[in-house]
Amino acid sequence: MCIRDSSSTDLYNWTPLGLVLAVPESQHIIERPKVIYHPSSRLFIMWMHYDNFEYTQAEVGIAIAKSATGPFVFQRHFSPNNMQSRDMTIFQDADGSAYLIRASGKTNLALSITRLTPDYLDLEDNVLSTINKSREAPAMLYYEGNYFLMASHCTGWDPNPAELYVSTSVAGPWILLGNPTNDNNTFYSQSTFFLPLRDQYEGKWIFMADKWMPDIKNATYIWLPVEFISGVPVINWLDSWDLSIFNKFKK
């Protein structure tokens, strides 16, 4: 059970960095790792979905490192807010607050959001907000006063139409907007993260998704630019693109 890393200075050219985390428990799996930086402790903190092969343990795991390239040291695994947890992501807000968003409950009964403690190493005692629908594969971004949460229906490894929710607060309430991709199969992929860009593309995002089928063991990824139309994120299919496309989008 391990995680490997790669680095890039331009998002086009990538250098493999090798193994950054190894957990010596062979009967478990790690999925959807997310890393955030804690400025006070100067630690890079990785949260992940931690499970057994039957997906019945349903926990989160935490690892820490002094560098983004590791090595990460595994700290512990646990049930967040004493609930099952599977697909998950971490969202770090502009004020430094960070949140765990995950498919929670038996068979992913809901999406639950809990604020991380100030050191990013634990969770507050109470769930902050919940979307009471069977959903998974959460990804969140903030744009001009609104939080947008994208999620997937629960259809195993098979693709399905994505859903987009909006709220003026991470605490909700969340309003369903529809499918931001306008594609019934979300381009045969499943959401995993919105990557915020920097420098000349500050305020722009890349939609990142897992393409599980037709070969789960050799699954690939889809990256697409996020366009905002009337303040709402829209994701369209492009056979090829580069970062200059963001200059063509209307502000």
Side-chain angles (χ1 to χ4, degrees):
M1 184 169 63
C2 62
I3 294 175
R4 296 182 180 274
D5 197 5
S6 298
S7 67
S8 174
T9 59
D10 58 13
L11 297 181
Y12 298 109
N13 303 288
W14 291 84
T15 302
L17 301 177
L19 192 69
V20 295
L21 173 66
V23 181
E25 297 186 38
S26 60
Q27 300 304 310
H28 291 81
I29 57 174
I30 288 173
E31 297 179 340
R32 296 180 178 268
K34 303 295 187 296
V35 176
I36 54 175
Y37 179 66
H38 191 273
S40 297
S41 66
R42 297 183 179 180
L43 289 175
F44 292 86
I45 302 170
M46 178 188 296
W47 284 72
M48 69 204 79
H49 171 200
Y50 181 97
D51 221 323
N52 55 21
F53 291 138
E54 294 76 27
Y55 287 93
T56 56
Q57 188 167 350
E59 296 181 331
V60 293
I62 302 175
I64 61 173
K66 295 181 179 179
S67 167
T69 58
F72 283 83
V73 179
F74 193 78
Q75 302 296 295
R76 65 189 181 110
H77 56 90
F78 64 99
S79 298
N81 303 119
N82 296 314
M83 301 165 65
Q84 289 190 350
S85 175
R86 293 182 178 85
D87 282 5
M88 49 72 63
T89 191
I90 294 292
F91 174 76
Q92 189 175 32
D93 213 343
D95 65 358
S97 299
Y99 304 85
L100 172 68
I101 309 161
R102 75 278 189 187
S104 61
K106 188 176 181 180
T107 64
N108 301 342
L109 290 176
L111 285 176
S112 299
I113 303 174
T114 304
R115 191 194 310 268
L116 273 60
T117 52
D119 60 7
Y120 295 172
L121 295 173
D122 206 343
L123 296 171
E124 293 189 349
D125 292 337
N126 298 314
V127 173
L128 182 65
S129 65
T130 302
I131 296 176
N132 288 308
K133 291 185 178 182
S134 181
R135 298 293 182 264
E136 61 183 7
M140 182 182 285
L141 65 79
Y142 175 83
Y143 181 76
E144 294 187 350
N146 287 310
Y147 295 87
F148 294 95
L149 176 57
M150 187 171 175
S152 161
H153 290 75
C154 298
T155 55
W157 302 108
D158 295 321
N160 59 69
E163 287 187 345
L164 185 70
Y165 297 83
V166 64
S167 176
T168 57
S169 169
V170 181
W174 294 93
I175 299 170
L176 176 63
L177 295 179
N179 183 351
T181 71
N182 198 32
D183 183 274
N184 286 334
N185 293 307
T186 316
F187 315 124
Y188 289 90
S189 71
Q190 188 181 48
S191 51
T192 188
F193 195 65
F194 285 110
L195 178 67
L197 302 182
R198 296 182 177 179
D199 301 327
Q200 70 183 98
Y201 298 109
E202 183 80 28
K204 310 297 183 183
W205 282 264
I206 293 175
F207 167 66
M208 309 174 82
D210 295 297
K211 186 175 176 63
W212 301 116
M213 303 300 287
D215 184 2
I216 295 173
K217 291 184 178 180
N218 295 293
T220 56
Y221 303 97
I222 288 176
W223 288 19
L224 290 168
V226 178
E227 183 177 8
F228 288 87
I229 299 178
S230 299
V232 175
V234 175
I235 303 162
N236 291 309
W237 177 258
L238 296 169
D239 288 332
S240 64
W241 62 282
D242 60 39
L243 293 174
S244 66
I245 195 170
F246 288 109
N247 298 324
K248 302 174 184 178
F249 290 163
K250 293 182 180 179
K251 296 183 179 180

